[in-house]
Each structure stands twice: as C-alpha cells, then as structure tokens.
Amino acid sequence: MAGKPPTGDPVQDAPDVTAPQHAAAGLPAIAHSLRVAHEQMGVRRTALTLLKVNQKDGFDCPGCAWPEPDKRHAAEFCENGAKAVAEEATLRRVTPAFFAEHPVADLAERSGYWLGQQGRLTQPMYLAEGADRYEPVTWDRAFDVIAGELQALTTPDQAVFYTSGRTSNEAAFLYQLFAREFGTNNLPDCSNMCHESSGSALTETIGIGKGSVLLEDLYKADLIIVAGQNPGTNHPRMLSALEKAKAGGTKIITVNPLPEAGLERFKNPQNVRGLAGGGTALTDLFLQIRLGGDQALFRLLNRLVLETEGAVDTAFIAEHTHGYADFERTARTADWDETLRATGLRREEIESALRMILASRRTIVCWAMGLTQHKHAVPTIKEVVNFLLLRGNIGRPGAGVCPVRGHSNVQGDRTMGIFERPAPAFLDALEKEFGFAPPREHGLDVVRAIRALRDGQAKVFFAMGGNFVSATPDTDVTEAAVRRARLTVHVSTKLNRSHVITGAHALILPTLGRTERDRQHTGEQFVTVEDSMGMVHASRGRLAPASPHLLSEPAIVCRLARRALGPTSTTPWEDFENDYAAIRDRISRVVPGFHDFNTRVARPGGFTLPHAPRDNRTFPTTTGKANFTAAPVEYPTAPEGRLLLQTLRSHDQYNTTIYGLDDRYRGIKNGRRVVLVHPDDATALGLPDGTYADLVSEWTDGSERRAPGFRVVHYPTARGCAAAYYPETNVLVPLDHTADTSNTPASKSLVVRLEPQQAPA
Ligand code: SF4
C-alpha cells in the first residue's frame, strides 16, 4: 500500500554528512527507485508504470530529455526517472478538502518538498480576491475568470504565457498559437533559464540552436569532453552511453569544479559488473576547474592546437567556415599564466588534455548548466564551437556539439514556437496556415517578464506547468512581482510554491500527467516529445487519470482559446481538442522537419529531425558558413576572503521538484541548507566543518542578498569555489545578473561571503 504524505515539514536543520561517494547507480539506485516508487504508488502501480516508461508503446519519462536507445531494456529508466514517474503517478491526492484545511498563508510557510509530497491535484481551484484559501471551481467558471481578465487588458502584452519543459509538442504548438492569436509574443520558458546561452551561441556559429550529436555518435567518438555537467544526477542514462563508449575505446575528459560520483565510476544496474562488480571507471582525465574558467581553458587549448603541426583541419576550415583569421590571431594570444589563474588548473593537466585531444580524430563536447549560467556563457560556448571547428569535429560521425537538455520536452517546446523572439519565417508560416497576423514585436523572456510584473506592466501571468517562483532568480523580488499581478494561473499536476505566491486572485488548473490515458472525443490520444538529440517520438499514457476532473493540456488551451478569443477566431480549436492528429497536421505545415508528422511519428521510436550541420555540413548562419568567433576571454574572480558560489541540484531533486532531502552521492542526508566549501578555504575563513553561516552575495552596485543558516560542509570543491542547492540560494541571484546576449540568470558564479552564525535552534 502506498505511503501517506508527510503531515509536518520534516526537520532539516541538522543534515548528516559523510564522505562523498565515488561511484553512481548500482544496487542502491535500484533500492532507492523501488522504495520511492512503492511509497508513492504501491506495488501494482509501480510495475504498471516502470515497465512502460520510455518504451516504444509507453510514455516518455517526465524527467530529463536524454534519448532512448533504439533497442530498449525491459527497465528503460534510471533512479531519477523512477522518482519522476512515481511523483506523477502517486496515489496521494490534493483534494478540495486539503485546501479547505490549509489557508494560503499556511501553505506559504511550507517547504517545497512538503508541498510536492501532498500528491496530485484533483480539481480546478480558485482563490478569489481577498479570500484566504482556494475553493473548488468549475472549468467553465475558471475559463470565464481568465478570459475576463485577458479581455480587460489594455494591450495583449500585459499578459505573460510561461511554459515549463514538460509540455508536449501538441500543447506547446496550441499554446503559442493561442498567445499569438490573442496578440502577444510574451512566451517565456524554462529554456530562458537553462540552455538559452547554448541556443544563442550555436545559432550564431552553426546556424541552429540544437546539438548535432545522435546517441550513436557517442559510441563512435574517440574523445568525449563532459564540461559543466553532472549526468549522474541530471541525465543518469547518459552514464550507460558513456560506459558503452568506453567499451569501444572512447576516452573521457571531465571538466567540473566538483568531483561527481557519476563521472568517476558507473555501476550499471543492467549488468552483473555493475550490480556485483566494481562497475566501469568513466573519466580518464578530471580537470577540476574554477567556476567560469571554461572559456579560458578552451581558448588556450585552441592556441595549443594551432601551434601543433598538422593538427588543424585546414580543408574543412577552408570549405565550411568563416572568420578563421580573426579567431586564429586572437587565439594565438592566449596566455598560460592567465589561463592557469582563470582555471585553477596546473600546466601538466592542460598538457595531458592536449595530448588526448590531438590523439582524437572524432571529438564530442557535452555540456549543461555549468557552461550556460555564467555572465560570459555565450562566448564560452562559442569557444567550444571554435575548438570543434578547428579539427573539423562537426558534421561527421562521432563528433559534434552536445548540449544536454534538462527538461523532457524543453527542446520540443522551442521547436513548436514557444519563444519570445520567434523567427519571421515561423510567423509567416503561422499566418499562412491560420489566416491571422501574428505579432512581430519580440516578447518577454523570463527575466523581462519578472521586471514587467514588478513594474506593473504585466497583469496576467499564465503558467503551463513548472514552478515559476522557485525556478527563477532573486526570490524576494520575483515573489513580490508575482503578487502585483491581477491574476495568476497555473496548469499543474502537483502542488508547488508558485500556487501560494499569487496575484490578486488565482487559479490552479489540474492537468493530466504523461503517465495517464488521454481520452478525447475521437478516442484515446497520444502526444509527442523531442529529446535532447532531436528525436521526436510518441508518448502514450497507461494509467487512469488521477481524477475525473482533469483536463489535458491541449484541452485546456482549446477551451480557453474559444472562450477568450470568441467567435471571431477561425482556428478550429474544438477539432484540435477532439483529435490531436489534427494538431499534428497543422504542425507538419508550419514547423520545418515535421512533414508527414502523423505517419512518421506512428513508427515505433519516431523520427529524427533534420540538422543541416550534422546531416550535410551546411550551416544556415548569416554567412552561410560555420562561424569562428574571437570574443575576449572573461572569467569571474572573488576578492580576498570571498568565494565563488554555484547553485546546483542535489541527487534527490529534479529542477525545483524536491524528491527527498538526501544527496547520496555527495554524502549528505536529511538536509538541504548546506554549503560545500574546500577545507582549506573554510579553514582560512574560520569555518570548521559543521558550523553554520549565512551566505551573502555582494554586487558591484553595493547591493547584497542574504540566504541565512547554511551548514558548512568541508568538500573537495575547486579552490575558491563553493556550492549550494537551489531554489534555497536563488535569493542570492539579482534579477539583473544575467548572461550577456542570452539573458540567462548567471547562477553559477556568485561572489559570496560566508558570515559565521549560531547553529539554528
Ligand atoms: S535519464 Fe532522464 S529521461 Fe531517462 S529515465 Fe532518467 S530522468 Fe528519465
């Protein structure tokens, strides 16, 4: 029988800390997966769901966007995938009775973990203006409330339509269609906070903001560089791919301020060596780099490659690239001393990396937030592209760029048009297909949307999934901004903090999860998603909905559109609600690469989207070539007595969803308010292990932000660098502290001081 949700918030002020682990997965991963699954779903449901997740006739894991191999295992999921499924398919329910018992003010005092553990939302809930608690409301009334506020706006740009990366392709396409027919491009999404820097850098340099690598390429690579990424927690099945690559002779270089268990050794639960043996060592060379030192590292590596006879692929450069001369001139000025300062690495470590790079004919660079969430993230990723172009490592098997996406369909949402800066060609196609003139002025991304809410310019905030106030920076500012809205609406499966930080009035609209059957007028429907490598496939729920009052995301958009746009809209919203194939037919005519969508996605495993640089070494950039770039090298520094802090996830966390209070691989149990500090730095700061400190971020405008009461954990971080979990530390990141060009919150390099404090009572 599934477990009951926690009644009180578990005490978290005294985490147990042991030594970090040096291997990921193995039997403990199976044990944790089954424990969480049983707690949430019980035995029968656990079997029903976990044997269907990521299967060709099953549903797509609502976790990360790591692709499925063509040949699937019976258990084609990882520990964190099991947790994501269990949290969605939980038997726990949040009913109107729950809301009657818990005023919003009480819920606002609860931790994100506690809110998430209460279970699935069952009915539309409305918080009336001036009321202290949510009450049940009919769907029709809910759509009336939203339509009323939207129609009362003086301009459509006073509305913001946010998207979290779990939204299916079909729902995302309808959502952007509705927002644009309503008249705005205010379509911020979680990409703005994660891989926007990748999109900006890749679009400029290779002409498409997506990775050029397929799963098979990993097995064909001579060298894989994993930079600023922790796959053991954030993309765990990537470890299986790295293990398979290693078996084929691939070498792995890891570039990270933290030694992560998942990159040291993988105990694959799918084989005996992983279950009973020592597993597989993954990393051949670990470069424990200082936060934000990656651009300097790749710049020096590029200089050293240039200085190596015959190392440069001159034929590829001559035929396929632009801007080489500028790049070469600049790269040759890279300075050893400055690079060693910026990276904190030793000369011999970089020389070892160079030897491995020169020995590799086919090189792939994988990265995640460790590269994208810095002020200079875009030039850093462009330097990675320079690095790959130099030896022709784009557009051939076993080579290329591999930004690994965090949310299961975040890439698909962007492909469907969820973007505040849509391409004119996309808007032209939309206009041709639907006969209305979409807005051409760029809309608001996440940071600009918060400013607009703060400044009273945005009045209606609508979120398709996600947990906006916990995912965003500058928590106090953001929460105050959201509270200035007239109306906040959240389409959600589970309770989270964004439901209790509301506008003058608020709605919670409960929706179907990926695991659940979606029946519409024409029968059972399936949705589609796009993974991190551009593979599009179907996802079919298998469970009965958590409540008879749920609507699917497409149905919610279609009913709202009919109510808000009224009879003037000629878009066949009802047809779309009744049969998602009708949505896909339209997608096939508007979105490049989706021709014959319904036919091709019906094939088991789906299809691969085109990627010109990968497929035929053509680069749809402004120059028609792959662009070398020559940006000045930047890297963050911290004054004496200060540290550089990065915000990150624990192993029991997926984005802002907290599955539990442990971070097993890092040796932390039952606590999240911890700060990882190098023992020598902590000693120099007079902070013995186990003492407490406030984290205070300091800014050039003299402002400060404080996050109180963190347990100091002596941890083998890079010198001068510390780490702590978000969302607890998002309060330290000012709204304006963003990456240049991409405007992504720069949460990976904050200058902080640690103020010793008494241990919490
Ligand atoms: S690797 Fe990602 S997509 Fe795959 S099962 Fe794990 S969480 Fe889900």
Side-chain angles (χ1 to χ4, degrees), residues 498-564:
S498 294
H499 300 135
V500 297
I501 306 297
T502 72
H505 56 156
L507 282 159
I508 303 175
L509 305 180
T511 191
L512 291 175
R514 280 264 179 87
T515 55
E516 292 165 326
R517 291 181 187 283
D518 181 348
R519 284 201 181 81
Q520 299 300 332
H521 194 64
T522 60
E524 199 155 308
Q525 307 293 318
F526 67 86
V527 293
T528 62
V529 293
E530 175 189 340
D531 64 36
S532 206
M533 293 180 178
M535 303 283 292
V536 176
H537 59 266
S539 177
R540 295 177 175 78
R542 284 284 173 256
L543 299 176
S547 150
H549 306 295
L550 306 185
L551 286 180
S552 71
E553 293 172 332
I556 290 172
V557 176
C558 291
R559 294 188 189 191
L560 173 59
R562 285 155 59 198
R563 181 65 191 76

Side-chain angles (χ1 to χ4, degrees), residues 191-209:
S191 259
N192 295 152
M193 293 180 280
C194 67
H195 270 289
E196 197 68 63
S197 302
S198 306
S200 299
L202 294 177
T203 302
E204 181 188 335
T205 52
I206 65 171
I208 177 173

Side-chain angles (χ1 to χ4, degrees), residues 265-293:
R265 182 170 291 277
F266 174 45
K267 293 187 171 185
N268 187 341
Q270 305 271 10
N271 62 44
V272 176
R273 195 177 55 232
L275 281 176
T280 303
L282 294 179
T283 294
D284 296 283
L285 176 66
F286 173 39
L287 299 179
Q288 186 165 25
I289 198 165
R290 281 170 48 78
L291 286 164

Side-chain angles (χ1 to χ4, degrees), residues 34 38 63 120 137 171-172 212 277 375 438 458 623 643 675 734 740:
L34 294 178
H38 182 260
R120 291 287 303 276
V137 66
S212 70
K375 189 171 178 330
T623 63
L643 298 173
V675 58
D740 300 334

Side-chain angles (χ1 to χ4, degrees), residues 36-92:
V36 171
H38 182 260
E39 254 176 33
Q40 298 277 358
M41 302 188 283
V43 176
R44 181 177 166 282
R45 208 170 167 82
T46 294
L48 260 180
T49 50
L50 295 188
L51 295 175
K52 278 297 176 193
V53 60
N54 291 335
Q55 298 300 331
K56 290 183 178 174
D57 65 346
F59 58 87
D60 183 69
C61 169
C64 82
W66 189 256
E68 277 70 66
D70 188 46
K71 192 166 165 312
R72 312 284 157 101
H73 296 94
E76 189 59 57
F77 58 88
C78 73
E79 175 190 340
N80 280 358
K83 292 171 186 168
V85 169
E87 291 256 330
E88 185 189 286
T90 179
L91 289 167
R92 299 170 184 176

Side-chain angles (χ1 to χ4, degrees), residues 434-651:
F434 291 98
F436 70 87
R440 299 281 168 167
E441 196 189 329
H442 286 173
L444 303 172
D445 63 13
V446 163
V447 166
R448 293 184 179 91
I450 297 169
R451 289 197 193 112
L453 287 161
R454 177 197 63 195
D455 304 340
Q457 290 146 12
K459 311 272 187 208
V460 174
F461 177 82
F462 191 108
M464 184 63 79
N467 181 0
F468 190 78
V469 296
S470 295
T472 45
D474 223 345
T475 311
D476 297 343
V477 170
T478 298
E479 294 194 353
V482 169
R483 287 194 166 109
R484 285 204 68 190
R486 274 288 310 142
L487 174 67
T488 50
V489 184
H490 290 271
V491 176
S492 304
T493 53
K494 304 191 65 192
L495 200 56
N496 65 48
R497 185 161 176 77
S498 294
H499 300 135
V500 297
I501 306 297
T502 72
H505 56 156
L507 282 159
I508 303 175
L509 305 180
T511 191
L512 291 175
R514 280 264 179 87
T515 55
E516 292 165 326
R517 291 181 187 283
D518 181 348
R519 284 201 181 81
Q520 299 300 332
H521 194 64
T522 60
E524 199 155 308
Q525 307 293 318
F526 67 86
V527 293
T528 62
V529 293
E530 175 189 340
D531 64 36
S532 206
M533 293 180 178
M535 303 283 292
V536 176
H537 59 266
S539 177
R540 295 177 175 78
R542 284 284 173 256
L543 299 176
S547 150
H549 306 295
L550 306 185
L551 286 180
S552 71
E553 293 172 332
I556 290 172
V557 176
C558 291
R559 294 188 189 191
L560 173 59
R562 285 155 59 198
R563 181 65 191 76
L565 300 173
T568 56
S569 172
T570 57
T571 302
W573 298 105
E574 196 162 355
D575 298 349
F576 290 156
E577 179 179 343
N578 293 342
D579 185 356
Y580 299 175
I583 307 169
R584 288 186 285 272
D585 282 342
R586 300 302 189 115
I587 292 172
S588 67
R589 293 198 288 271
V590 170
V591 183
F594 281 80
H595 52 281
D596 303 334
F597 190 2
N598 278 308
T599 309
R600 293 196 296 149
V601 84
R603 295 186 204 124
F607 61 92
T608 307
L609 286 172
H611 190 289
R614 175 196 60 224
D615 302 339
N616 47 43
R617 286 188 151 181
T618 55
F619 300 92
T621 63
T622 52
T623 63
K625 302 271 187 179
N627 290 322
F628 278 103
T629 54
V633 167
E634 299 173 60
Y635 53 94
T637 57
E640 187 63 31
R642 304 304 190 253
L643 298 173
L644 285 176
L645 179 94
Q646 63 166 317
T647 69
L648 46 57
R649 292 184 198 172
S650 77
H651 188 62

Side-chain angles (χ1 to χ4, degrees), residues 164-228:
S164 134
R166 190 181 344 220
T167 304
S168 68
N169 286 339
E170 289 74 11
F173 184 77
L174 293 179
Y175 192 44
Q176 62 82 30
L177 178 63
F178 166 61
R180 292 192 166 110
E181 191 168 346
F182 177 70
T184 183
N185 281 319
N186 286 350
L187 286 156
D189 69 338
C190 60
S191 259
N192 295 152
M193 293 180 280
C194 67
H195 270 289
E196 197 68 63
S197 302
S198 306
S200 299
L202 294 177
T203 302
E204 181 188 335
T205 52
I206 65 171
I208 177 173
K210 300 179 179 183
S212 70
V213 160
L214 296 173
L215 200 49
E216 297 68 38
D217 287 310
L218 291 171
Y219 313 145
K220 299 175 186 144
D222 301 324
L223 175 66
I224 298 173
I225 300 177
V226 181

